[in-house]
Amino acid sequence: MASDSNPDSDTDSPEPTASRDAGRDADADRGDEDVLRRIADRNPTRLGVGRSGPRPTTDALLEFRADHGVARDAVHSRVSDDLIDDLGLIELRTTVADTDQYLARPDLGRELDAESLERLERDCERGPEVQIVVSDGLSSSAVEANVPQLLPALLDGLEARGVSVGTPVFVEFGRVDVMDAVGEVLEADCCVNLIGERPGLRTAESLSAYLVYGPERGSATAKKSVVSNIHDGGLPPVEAGAELVDLIGEMLDAEASGVDLREDDREFRTES
């Protein structure tokens, strides 16, 4: 009787087993590569970058480190004085001392310092329907890239609708909720905060617009509406200005924002 280990045995030798990929030809492989490339080209995430053994390829690693550097610069740099002057913004500051404190103490970025409160009351119009705030937030690059186009579109649209707008201000080291302090002091019906968002590794220029009706300190985040992803690769700034004009009009009509502005009441709702 032949041993199981006998290499010459006809009866005990296993049949060759086809691999799972057997039958695939070069055209199919190329097709898969084409599909992956089309997905990668349309998606900002890092897909299909390949590896060299257990490590990223040199090109992928250098691109990652460059994008990371841009993101860090967006957080640590400041909006230029020239831009603030060109946009005609009243310059204010929160109680934050520097960037490190801004990152560690979000609460300090929600309130203006004493000098800024005095300037706010002295130099800004009281009782507007809409008060506009521009804040550097976590990306000064987002302000520099988008606000020069967005702000004029927003102001022109509100003027065309007959909506009164207060004196636009810029807040250095501002958090989203600094809009509550500004709007409350100036007794605005509605407040808008155009603020730089946390930079990612594909764009450091994403801006968001937060809106609140009846601003007051300590109001819940759920009471705020938001239009996000404003940049050339997302919602273009001029289009964002037009969208904000429509949203502000709905907020003023409904006297509500955030969760109080129900989706069923939105004018742009598509009827099924």
Side-chain angles (χ1 to χ4, degrees):
M1 181 174 177
S3 167
D4 289 345
S5 61
N6 184 357
D8 298 326
S9 172
D10 292 334
T11 58
D12 296 323
S13 297
E15 292 292 328
T17 302
S19 71
R20 190 169 62 180
D21 292 331
R24 291 182 59 88
D25 56 23
D27 289 338
D29 290 339
R30 282 195 297 271
D32 288 347
E33 292 177 6
D34 291 342
V35 170
L36 177 59
R37 182 52 50 205
R38 288 199 300 271
I39 294 173
D41 289 344
R42 298 178 62 180
N43 194 310
T45 55
R46 299 174 194 275
L47 298 175
V49 296
R51 302 188 72 81
S52 178
R55 300 177 178 84
T57 63
T58 300
D59 288 345
L61 178 61
L62 291 176
E63 183 179 359
F64 176 88
R65 294 183 66 176
D67 289 343
H68 186 251
V70 170
R72 288 178 59 87
D73 287 346
V75 173
H76 289 277
S77 61
R78 307 264 54 88
V79 175
S80 70
D81 293 335
D82 289 342
L83 178 64
I84 296 170
D85 292 340
D86 290 344
L87 295 175
L89 304 174
I90 299 294
E91 190 168 1
L92 308 173
R93 185 172 177 139
T94 63
T95 55
V96 171
D98 53 36
T99 301
D100 289 340
Q101 190 177 59
Y102 178 79
L103 296 174
R105 292 287 304 276
D107 57 309
L108 298 181
R110 299 174 186 140
E111 190 60 66
L112 299 174
D113 64 16
E115 182 179 347
S116 295
L117 284 171
E118 291 177 4
R119 189 173 190 191
L120 188 68
E121 297 195 28
R122 182 183 68 243
D123 298 337
C124 296
E125 179 183 347
R126 299 185 72 86
E129 289 180 280
V130 177
Q131 174 61 46
I132 297 175
V133 177
V134 179
S135 302
D136 46 8
L138 286 165
S139 176
S140 59
S141 300
V143 174
E144 299 264 3
N146 299 291
V147 174
Q149 298 178 63
L150 193 160
L151 184 58
L154 177 57
L155 292 173
D156 290 346
L158 293 174
E159 181 181 4
R161 292 196 176 206
V163 176
S164 66
V165 180
T167 310
V169 301
F170 171 77
V171 179
E172 186 179 19
F173 295 125
R175 293 283 179 174
V176 170
D177 289 348
V178 75
M179 65 195 295
D180 297 327
V182 174
E184 182 180 281
V185 170
L186 296 179
E187 300 175 351
D189 292 337
C190 172
C191 197
V192 181
N193 191 357
L194 308 176
I195 187 168
E197 286 286 17
R198 187 185 309 276
L201 289 173
R202 279 300 184 184
T203 179
E205 298 182 348
S206 184
L207 189 84
S208 285
Y210 289 84
L211 307 92
V212 63
Y213 184 85
E216 59 181 0
R217 290 175 174 88
S219 63
T221 301
K223 297 292 186 179
K224 295 177 174 67
S225 300
V226 62
V227 175
S228 61
N229 201 35
I230 301 170
H231 59 93
D232 284 340
L235 178 63
V238 173
E239 292 184 26
E243 183 169 331
L244 289 173
V245 170
D246 289 340
L247 180 54
I248 290 169
E250 295 168 16
M251 289 169 54
L252 292 173
D253 289 343
E255 298 184 352
S257 59
V259 295
D260 294 332
L261 188 66
R262 298 185 305 160
E263 285 294 321
D264 290 345
D265 296 334
R266 299 297 301 278
E267 290 181 358
F268 62 76
R269 178 174 178 264
T270 302
E271 297 295 338
S272 56

